[in-house]
Amino acid sequence: MASQRLKRGVRGAIAATAVAAAAVGVMPVPAGAQPDTASDALKKYNELAEQATKLNEELLRAEEQRDNNQKLLDQANADLSQASQAGDQARTDEETFRVQVDKLTEASFEGARFNHLSALLVSDSQQDFLNRMSALGVLAADNGEALDKLAGAVNAAESAKTAASDAQGRAQKATDESAKIADDIKKRQGDLDGQIDEVKTQLTRLNTPERTKLADPGDTSNISVPSGTAGAALAFALEQRGDMYQYGATGPNVWDCSGLTSRAYASAGVTIPRTSNGQAGAGRAVSRGEVRAGDLIIYNGGNHVGMAVDNATVVHASTDGVPVKIVSLEAPGSIYAMRRIEG
């Protein structure tokens, strides 16, 4: 309870500061849906906020690619280490079996004329002949087994060499790509920072009623949720109402859109992609009429996501400065995908 009171206090302080400083925002809606009474400043703000949201999503995708690439690099290095160890063992076995084969070959060569006929001619008795024939058989069997082991060791060494070469190639490719991704992330971060500055500048040009409306946290009443995973995720998302938006944030008191939905489902024990574009492919698709509590609603070509409270509303983290709030399901923009994570 103390932590919840603290969180409510933080929300209230942030919201009050947001209104006073005009650091507020709203998820843009299609141009045709803008009210006639919207000022030119608000329209411009919505356009800038939409561009910032898109840049934020692109940055998150680049960071996700970087993380996935690091996993590929780690796996390639692990495979290289394993292949190197296997190669060392194979070369040791090859040397051991080669010495054994050389010795058996030498013994066979020295007794090469000791064939079945010579064994019969030099034998003192039938039993002596059988003993000599048995010795010849053992020598041939040992030599054959040693040759098989040597061939196996040689093949293992070649396989290890091939595996090591493949792992080295994958590691080098992953390293090269990581350098490119790092440069891409740096550029996108710079673009996003510049866009956020433009958004904040535009916010200062909004009139007081517009700023007040954007900072309104909306419905903060208790809302019942269904049982199960979707209900648990929705309960988490609803608990964050009043928290402010921050690009790239995943809590605990500030969020971006996909940061909120991914953490909500994580709290319910389910892992979903970090980005809204990734979440557009999570779970299974549902139709507009099937939407129910806990479903993910992805908007604007995959650049924004909210969570359905019911078939008519969603809770979402909108854009810079705007608190997490409940809005009508179509309000955040053009619906791109509707996904049910479980059930």
Side-chain angles (χ1 to χ4, degrees):
M1 291 299 293
S3 63
Q4 292 302 319
R5 286 196 298 271
L6 176 60
K7 185 162 188 173
R8 285 194 294 270
V10 170
R11 289 172 179 165
I14 294 176
T17 301
V19 174
V24 294
V26 65
M27 188 66 193
V29 297
Q34 289 285 354
D36 293 337
T37 57
S39 69
D40 290 340
L42 180 57
K43 291 178 181 178
K44 181 63 176 178
Y45 164 74
N46 283 330
E47 292 173 2
L48 293 172
E50 182 175 15
Q51 293 169 17
T53 300
K54 182 179 180 181
L55 287 171
N56 182 58
E57 175 66 14
E58 290 176 353
L59 174 61
L60 291 176
R61 291 179 196 175
E63 290 175 339
E64 189 174 54
Q65 183 182 5
R66 175 199 60 196
D67 295 342
N68 290 337
N69 210 65
Q70 184 60 50
K71 293 178 183 178
L72 294 176
L73 177 58
D74 292 343
Q75 184 60 55
N77 286 331
D79 291 345
L80 176 58
S81 177
Q82 183 177 5
S84 298
Q85 293 176 6
D88 292 341
Q89 183 60 53
R91 283 187 290 273
T92 299
D93 292 342
E94 181 181 348
E95 183 62 27
T96 300
F97 297 137
R98 190 178 299 281
V99 171
Q100 184 177 357
V101 167
D102 288 345
K103 288 181 178 179
L104 289 170
T105 300
E106 182 180 354
S108 298
F109 178 76
E110 291 176 350
R113 288 174 293 177
F114 190 61
N115 53 29
H116 291 190
L117 178 59
S118 61
L120 177 61
L121 293 176
V122 301
S123 296
D124 296 331
S125 65
Q126 183 179 22
Q127 185 60 49
D128 186 30
F129 170 74
L130 292 175
N131 290 339
R132 292 174 185 274
M133 288 300 300
S134 177
L136 284 174
V138 169
L139 183 63
D142 286 348
N143 202 29
E145 181 181 358
L147 283 170
D148 288 342
K149 289 181 178 179
L150 174 59
V154 171
N155 290 336
E158 286 298 318
S159 296
K161 181 179 179 181
T162 300
S165 178
D166 173 69
Q168 285 178 325
R170 287 187 284 118
Q172 186 61 54
K173 181 180 179 182
T175 299
D176 293 342
E177 289 180 351
S178 292
K180 294 180 182 178
I181 293 171
D183 290 340
D184 184 46
I185 288 175
K186 184 177 181 180
K187 178 183 181 302
R188 293 184 187 281
Q189 184 66 65
D191 291 343
L192 176 59
D193 290 343
Q195 190 67 34
I196 291 174
D197 288 342
E198 288 192 40
V199 171
K200 292 185 181 298
T201 298
Q202 189 63 29
L203 283 171
T204 64
R205 299 171 183 170
L206 301 182
N207 59 45
T208 300
E210 288 172 336
R211 294 198 301 269
T212 301
K213 182 176 181 180
L214 295 178
D216 181 7
D219 181 6
T220 57
S221 65
N222 291 328
I223 296 176
S224 62
V225 299
S227 60
T229 299
L234 177 57
F236 181 94
L238 290 173
E239 180 60 30
Q240 314 317 312
R241 283 176 292 174
D243 284 357
M244 300 305 291
Y245 183 97
Q246 181 176 305
Y247 294 101
T250 57
N253 295 310
V254 288
W255 311 87
D256 69 9
C257 63
S258 55
L260 175 63
T261 51
S262 61
R263 281 291 298 273
Y265 265 100
S267 74
V270 177
T271 299
I272 62 175
R274 166 66 178 89
T275 65
S276 56
N277 187 71
Q279 291 175 23
R284 67 179 179 88
V286 294
S287 68
R288 176 65 185 85
E290 294 174 319
V291 169
R292 68 188 188 198
D295 288 346
L296 298 180
I297 313 299
I298 296 88
Y299 301 90
N300 303 330
N303 290 325
H304 185 65
V305 62
M307 184 179 295
V309 178
D310 49 40
N311 188 259
T313 59
V314 293
V315 57
H316 74 147
S318 177
T319 194
D320 188 31
V322 176
V324 174
K325 65 174 69 178
I326 296 174
V327 297
S328 67
L329 196 136
E330 282 77 15
S334 175
I335 295 177
Y336 177 72
M338 294 167 285
R339 310 294 297 188
R340 180 160 300 154
I341 302 305
E342 286 199 349

